[in-house]
Amino acid sequence: MRGRTDLAVEMKEDIQSDEPITGVHVMTKNNGDSDIKEVRIVVENEQGAMSLGKPVGTYITLESEHLREHDEGFHEPMAEVLARHIRQFIGNKKRIMVAGLGNREVTPDALGPFVIDNLYVTRHLLKEGIISKSVEISAIAPGVMAQTGMESVTILKALVKEIKPELLIVIDALAARDSDRLNKTIQLADTGITPGSGVGNHRNAINEESIGVPVIAIGVPTVIAVPTIVNDAMDMMVTAIGRQGTKNVLKKFSEEERYQLACEMVTPYLENMFVTPKDIDEAVKRISYTISEAINQAALA
Amino acid sequence: MRGRTDLAVEMKEDIQSDEPITGVHVMTKNNGDSDIKEVRIVVENEQGAMSLGKPVGTYITLESEHLREHDEGFHEPMAEVLARHIRQFIGNKKRIMVAGLGNREVTPDALGPFVIDNLYVTRHLLKEGIISKSVEISAIAPGVMAQTGMESVTILKALVKEIKPELLIVIDALAARDSDRLNKTIQLADTGITPGSGVGNHRNAINEESIGVPVIAIGVPTVIAVPTIVNDAMDMMVTAIGRQGTKNVLKKFSEEERYQLACEMVTPYLENMFVTPKDIDEAVKRISYTISEAINQAALA
Amino acid sequence: MRGRTDLAVEMKEDIQSDEPITGVHVMTKNNGDSDIKEVRIVVENEQGAMSLGKPVGTYITLESEHLREHDEGFHEPMAEVLARHIRQFIGNKKRIMVAGLGNREVTPDALGPFVIDNLYVTRHLLKEGIISKSVEISAIAPGVMAQTGMESVTILKALVKEIKPELLIVIDALAARDSDRLNKTIQLADTGITPGSGVGNHRNAINEESIGVPVIAIGVPTVIAVPTIVNDAMDMMVTAIGRQGTKNVLKKFSEEERYQLACEMVTPYLENMFVTPKDIDEAVKRISYTISEAINQAALA
Amino acid sequence: MRGRTDLAVEMKEDIQSDEPITGVHVMTKNNGDSDIKEVRIVVENEQGAMSLGKPVGTYITLESEHLREHDEGFHEPMAEVLARHIRQFIGNKKRIMVAGLGNREVTPDALGPFVIDNLYVTRHLLKEGIISKSVEISAIAPGVMAQTGMESVTILKALVKEIKPELLIVIDALAARDSDRLNKTIQLADTGITPGSGVGNHRNAINEESIGVPVIAIGVPTVIAVPTIVNDAMDMMVTAIGRQGTKNVLKKFSEEERYQLACEMVTPYLENMFVTPKDIDEAVKRISYTISEAINQAALA
């Protein structure tokens, strides 16, 4: 309604009601001494899915102001909390494929490929008997359709058929609505990735239905879509005009109408643009590191 | 006034008058059979500089729809037109340093470093007697302040003092106001680069005054600043509301007031963000190639 | 016998005989005004395959001194000759997958991935009706086993099953025996790639038998294996000692024994090393460009 | 004598004598529980410099088998030992420039630029008052002469004149003689870098004399020169032939004659080649990380 977002927490915010939403369960907690805030949203049934606009499943959001800064300790507390959640999703599965979605050549979309670069891949080492105790990890950065001519889901489906992992973990850069969430939020979901998600146009759902094995999605919002920014501008204007005490013509537009208006204003060329911070190179490098560390830890344990 | 731009042609558009501007001379021409449109703006004196908001000097803008597309011929017509202009700026100078400004790790800011990657550097070959006929070309990609802790201008000033070229050519990614100009416009100027230009914050003018030798700037708009987008959104709203026949409260704001409003709306974090197209990787690679080819040709002739 | 090579022309040189080899047909020609030398080796039957040590099929070697140098014209003559040969291999096939083998992070092994970077991929454009006349090109850089945990052949087999191209073109960096061939030779073969080829250990044949569709291999020698260099050193010593008129104890070793000796001398760690020129970055960038141009041209025609 | 090396420990090995060398002091120690072996060679005077073939100064070599492997803890023990030594060299100096020598595009030569990528640069943050307690760190990756047309020493001299640091730390990839030392040895020296060092041809000494401030060099051997390999091959042959009980003609050549022979055998093209391990990408990434961590730690303390 209020601009595209891939974050369940932001979709939850749309529902401006203090009443509990049927079929949607929300829990918030802080992680010990750390500044890591954790929100767990469970979409329990189809009614919840309709209300929230997200498939049935569990969405965990980890947020830390700290994640935006250079850290000598490589954000170890965040890596540990993330590893613990990944481990729970893994359960007793022994063979995992990790897919780093996105375009290595476009900085805010490079998160997925960068995670793969730092991953400790073990499938071949186990097969050759070089190591013996570890979850089997294979990994792929399938690239984007402009580079391969193929949908990511097609490539992953083909590989899963051949390699037969028990679980697919996909890493992807996400779009947020609120600039304040960029590069400090990590979202885990056991629902895979639904159409339209991510920075690039990775289209077609990557989930248990399309792939054939359970799919865990790990994502970090690194961009905002242009219509979101335009829409925000209009919201802010409504407020600004209101402050001036003038009769506010904009109030005549409903929120939905306003977003429609924002989309109309955005030319097709603009629609294909995104908004991203200037220090995105540092942020993507840093957070991809933390995510691969978390997967490495989860696979060892 | 209407959002930050590094393009002289866009600053010219601000001056909504059919009268000629004193001290500013504008010429437009098409290049033969090609689709390359050329606008030459000469700021003749301080009065012109005040009116346009750009230092005294010559600004040449080359524009081609074609530049946005994959091209088997590597955009040779554009490279040739560009080479001709560069050659004129070079005149009979024999020693040139080329500096590729910007951050190699942030795709839309990587234009400068990528041009350096493809350049045919000759200084050492001439010194060692391996080749004999060529303009002397040295090259540097100084990085950005977050990587080096030093201003680009400081690094370039130091190198020019030591290497003593007769001319410095700086390549930089620019900000445009109109999304329609991104990745299809090349601007040449004999004024160097003035503060606030470029995607990153390269601060401090790089020009004959600061560097000690004439500075030619070659730039391509690859991003739009966020306040520009927000401001555009408001402009579009004024129009949209107008169409609906309602009494339009927004008209009460002057253009300047509206841009002020847009800036206020933009939080400090948002201000440090930019808008860029999704295919920016292809565009930057392609255009950097065309520019380095143009410099290579100009240096050989 | 004399050190590992992936080049049919070098294996041919091993057979020190002026007699024609049964089942192996060799033709040499020069390409018009250009300096491109072409050697076509046809292994006609199993007897020829035994003699040459290469599977039955056609091996075309294009060689040009020029390929080692910076070229304003992007080595267009070489691209054209190569395109002509690729077109012949394509015939009237309409769907092609191109695979860039090798490790993007190891310069002399990055040839394959770099070719993919410059390729004009069309599969999705044809599917979406954006273009209509072109051979369908899909592309993948599958990475190496240390990055993915999977053999390249496994990844390609899975993708070919799903995408169903009629032809697979694999690009790979090769090992030569003679340093004089590095970065100036391009080999095309309709036999795919046989075990042990390439710089990295891409193991397992990638050919019609393993993949299910015909496989064209395009390769460029960018490295020499360490045992080859050691063996060459011994050969040179035999000659050097011979010149001194001394009774030459080394002559007592047969060529085969000498290579055995060289391999024994090479420790396991050394065996996993390769020899490559210092300007390998420029060479790989340049030649990958020429190869992708050739494939682009062949796909359009 | 026995093939080019940049390691003081290897030059020491050449001197086949159990007697102490006048003017050269050697100390060996192990670092606590870790597997880090430390050799400190102090060249005390010109006589020592003549004997060892290295300028007067201190050379510390840290060696750890562990450094060749993937490590969850990022080789923290090595980073700590290294940081301690760097801190001693820094003393109470407050302004440091770090230069990452070498070619980012050639994997085994990318060590220096990669260290710069991970460095926590503070000069601009201190100047802007964003942080207050830290040594001032500026950083540059000057590129190689083929990219810039300028010697690294020229670029660094110019920058040091302008920025006025009290100490220059240069990071460079080195050549070793023994393949067993590659990617597991780190050498620190307070002598800077002497001609012919490094993988690329960075020529011209970078030391206090040429730069004007003290220069600390940190290097890791990532390659072996080709003549070294050829020479080793000959040595091994002498031994191999000896084992066979034959009268050994090679014994007639002195060690020096043999190395001369090896160099003659190596064609000019081969001379410009180097030998490097296949997993060089992982090794360079890993070790550059450890070095930048060590500098970061040393600068904070």
Side-chain angles (χ1 to χ4, degrees), chain A residues 7 10 35-36 61-71 75 78 106-112 114 172-187 199 219-224 274-291, chain B residues 106 269-270 272-274:
Chain A
L7 294 177
E10 291 194 337
D35 77 328
I36 302 169
T61 309
L62 303 172
E63 191 170 317
S64 161
E65 203 57 56
H66 206 51
L67 209 55
R68 276 198 186 150
E69 299 152 21
H70 172 81
D71 177 56
H75 299 293
M78 179 58 100
V106 176
T107 317
D109 201 26
L111 181 85
F114 282 12
D172 203 8
L174 305 178
R177 190 184 290 151
D178 187 348
S179 66
D180 193 46
R181 281 212 174 77
L182 298 192
N183 301 331
K184 71 177 202 202
T185 303
I186 300 178
Q187 175 176 276
V199 177
V220 175
T222 60
V223 301
I224 304 173
F274 58 81
V275 182
T276 199
K278 277 175 190 165
D279 65 347
I280 186 65
D281 56 325
E282 291 299 327
V284 164
K285 207 159 65 170
R286 203 164 51 228
I287 302 174
S288 67
Y289 212 93
T290 301
I291 295 177
Chain B
V106 177
Y269 193 71
L270 251 186
N272 255 328
M273 299 179 82
F274 58 80

Side-chain angles (χ1 to χ4, degrees), chain C residues 113-190:
Chain C
F114 282 14
V115 167
I116 300 303
D117 286 353
N118 291 316
L119 214 58
Y120 184 53
V121 172
T122 59
R123 184 174 176 271
H124 58 305
L125 302 176
L126 288 162
K127 282 207 174 294
E128 293 166 4
I130 294 168
I131 60 171
S132 58
K133 277 184 211 157
S134 171
V135 169
E136 176 193 296
I137 301 285
S138 56
I140 190 86
V144 294
M145 210 164 65
Q147 296 168 329
T148 64
M150 303 177 274
E151 305 269 7
S152 296
V153 64
T154 311
I155 296 176
L156 296 180
K157 196 167 63 178
L159 290 178
V160 164
K161 253 191 235 171
E162 197 75 30
I163 302 292
K164 301 194 186 359
E166 297 165 278
L167 179 70
L168 177 67
I169 299 179
V170 291
I171 321 291
D172 202 6
L174 306 178
R177 189 183 292 151
D178 186 349
S179 67
D180 193 48
R181 282 213 171 77
L182 296 192
N183 300 332
K184 71 177 203 199
T185 302
I186 301 177
Q187 175 176 278
L188 272 108
D190 61 2

Side-chain angles (χ1 to χ4, degrees), chain A residues 68 103 105-107 182 199 230 233-234 236-237 246 250 252 265 269 272-276 278 281, chain B residues 68 103 105-107 179 182 199 230 233-234 236-237 246 250 252 265 272-276 278 281:
Chain A
R68 276 198 186 150
N103 185 347
E105 306 293 328
V106 176
T107 317
L182 298 192
V199 177
V230 170
M234 291 193 295
M236 289 183 284
M237 270 179 86
T246 355
L250 282 169
K252 289 172 45 181
M265 288 173 188
Y269 193 71
N272 255 328
M273 299 178 83
F274 58 81
V275 182
T276 199
K278 277 175 190 165
D281 56 325
Chain B
R68 275 200 186 148
N103 185 344
E105 307 294 327
V106 177
T107 316
S179 66
L182 297 193
V199 177
V230 170
M234 290 194 295
M236 290 183 285
M237 270 180 85
T246 354
L250 283 168
K252 287 172 46 181
M265 288 173 187
N272 255 328
M273 299 179 82
F274 58 80
V275 182
T276 200
K278 278 176 190 164
D281 56 326

